Amino acid sequence: MGLRKKNARNPPVLSHEFMVQNHADMVSCVGMFFVLGLMFEGTAEMSIVFLTLQHGVVVPAEELPSGSRTLYHYGVKDLATVFFYMLVAIIIHATIQEYVLDKISKRLQLTKGKQNKLNEAGQLSVFYIVSGIWGMIILTSENCLSDPTLLWRAPPHNMMTFQMKFFYISQLAYWFHSFPELYFQKARKQDIPGQLIFIGLHLFHIGGAYLLYLNHLGLLLLMLHYAVELLSNVCSLIYFGDERYQKGLSLWPVVFISGRLVTLIVSVVTVGLHLAGSQTRNANALSGNVNVLAAKIAVLSSSCSIQVYITWTLTTVWLQRWLEDASLQAAGRRRRSRARKGTENGVENPNRIDSPPKKKEKAP
């Protein structure tokens, strides 16, 4: 029996195309090893570090008004948990891509460039919706919406609840998974620097809020940021569906800038009230006490700089689009004016440059 010819859809094993097409299956196998490790006594302890939250402490009822409960702080073992849920994020990303976004792009018959933008907007929209609902549930359950003062006086200052820690672990895992996705999604080289800055800024600020125990403030600012970004991506998805809505969706930059201003106000007010009460002279960063002048300057400058950077980027992009549209409209007006000059009262002008030459009549 002869050897079967290689199918174009089945690339060689461990090749670039093979890794891209089957990365979700390979990541699923890696994640399954950690899950199967729970079945054996010798590997159960190691698997638990990857699957469940670590560094939990039982706080007695005397220290909390709500009674005895388990609270968490951060530690080195959190890196293992972030790694496992990063694998989960890659699997979910591939599932949404294959069963939702690929079918939409085929139905719309988009170009390669628009297809990449559709995939990015679709993935981020799903993430923003899930994170927004999850974050609002946490803020409501911890009474942050009914009592905003908890944003700067939530005790104890170096502990967090299970749902708060799990939220931050999931956020870090999602943004870390974006690095290998640049390879799996075949990102263009010219787009990679911008994507790296976008991902790095999210990791920097989410990790900073997590490590400094500014959990409630970071969560509230993330909700504001995700709401504005969700509007941006939804506008992109609607535009891909029908380009006639392009002018109607131009209102969202006003909402975008308004969201940045609200974020700045909340950051300044909350951080100021959180850290301005009394500065601790013998502050210990390892215990989570950041009530020092250096922490004030770092947090406020970081929050202000990122908002200024994002606003400046948006302004630059829209200014370029405005100049391009203005040049296209000017070119269109020039063409229409030349066409009107070539026609006088509905009669074609024989002196037009683009008019066809008259044929010479033959002498009889």
Side-chain angles (χ1 to χ4, degrees), residues 50 53-54 74-75 77-83 85-86 134 160 162-176 206 210:
F50 287 88
L53 300 183
Q54 302 299 310
Y74 62 81
K77 293 181 180 179
D78 291 342
L79 297 176
T81 311
V82 170
F83 174 76
Y85 286 100
M86 182 186 72
W134 190 3
M160 65 189 84
F162 174 85
Q163 59 182 355
M164 184 68 75
K165 178 167 183 174
F166 190 42
F167 177 83
Y168 274 95
I169 291 292
S170 302
Q171 293 293 310
L172 292 172
Y174 179 86
W175 290 109
F176 271 117
I206 294 173
Y210 181 67

Side-chain angles (χ1 to χ4, degrees), residues 7-23:
N7 191 354
R9 296 183 180 179
N10 296 324
V13 179
L14 299 181
S15 63
H16 172 70
E17 288 295 329
F18 180 85
M19 298 287 289
V20 170
Q21 292 182 10
N22 303 283
H23 70 275

Side-chain angles (χ1 to χ4, degrees), residues 33-45:
F33 278 112
F34 296 109
V35 177
L36 293 176
L38 297 173
M39 301 175 61
F40 305 98
E41 185 177 357
T43 58
E45 290 188 13

Side-chain angles (χ1 to χ4, degrees), residues 210-227:
Y210 181 67
L211 296 177
L212 295 176
Y213 293 104
L214 300 174
N215 307 311
H216 296 86
L217 172 62
L219 179 56
L220 179 60
L221 294 181
L222 272 180
M223 294 302 99
L224 294 174
H225 173 70
Y226 286 170

Side-chain angles (χ1 to χ4, degrees), residues 77-110:
K77 293 181 180 179
D78 291 342
L79 297 176
T81 311
V82 170
F83 174 76
F84 176 78
Y85 286 100
M86 182 186 72
L87 302 180
V88 176
I90 293 175
I91 298 171
I92 296 175
H93 186 114
T95 304
I96 296 174
Q97 182 67 42
E98 181 176 356
Y99 292 100
V100 180
L101 297 177
D102 286 347
K103 294 182 178 180
I104 294 176
S105 61
K106 288 180 180 178
R107 180 174 298 180
L108 297 177
Q109 297 180 353
L110 301 175

Side-chain angles (χ1 to χ4, degrees), residues 194-254:
Q195 291 291 334
L196 292 178
I197 294 174
F198 181 73
I199 298 168
L201 288 174
H202 283 86
L203 286 174
F204 175 75
H205 287 85
I206 294 173
Y210 181 67
L211 296 177
L212 295 176
Y213 293 104
L214 300 174
N215 307 311
H216 296 86
L217 172 62
L219 179 56
L220 179 60
L221 294 181
L222 272 180
M223 294 302 99
L224 294 174
H225 173 70
Y226 286 170
V228 177
E229 291 293 329
L230 175 62
L231 178 61
S232 171
N233 287 280
V234 169
C235 290
S236 299
L237 291 175
I238 296 176
Y239 171 69
F240 289 134
D242 193 343
E243 295 185 1
R244 292 178 298 176
Y245 294 102
Q246 183 179 10
K247 294 183 179 180
L249 298 175
S250 60
L251 185 63
W252 85 265
V254 178

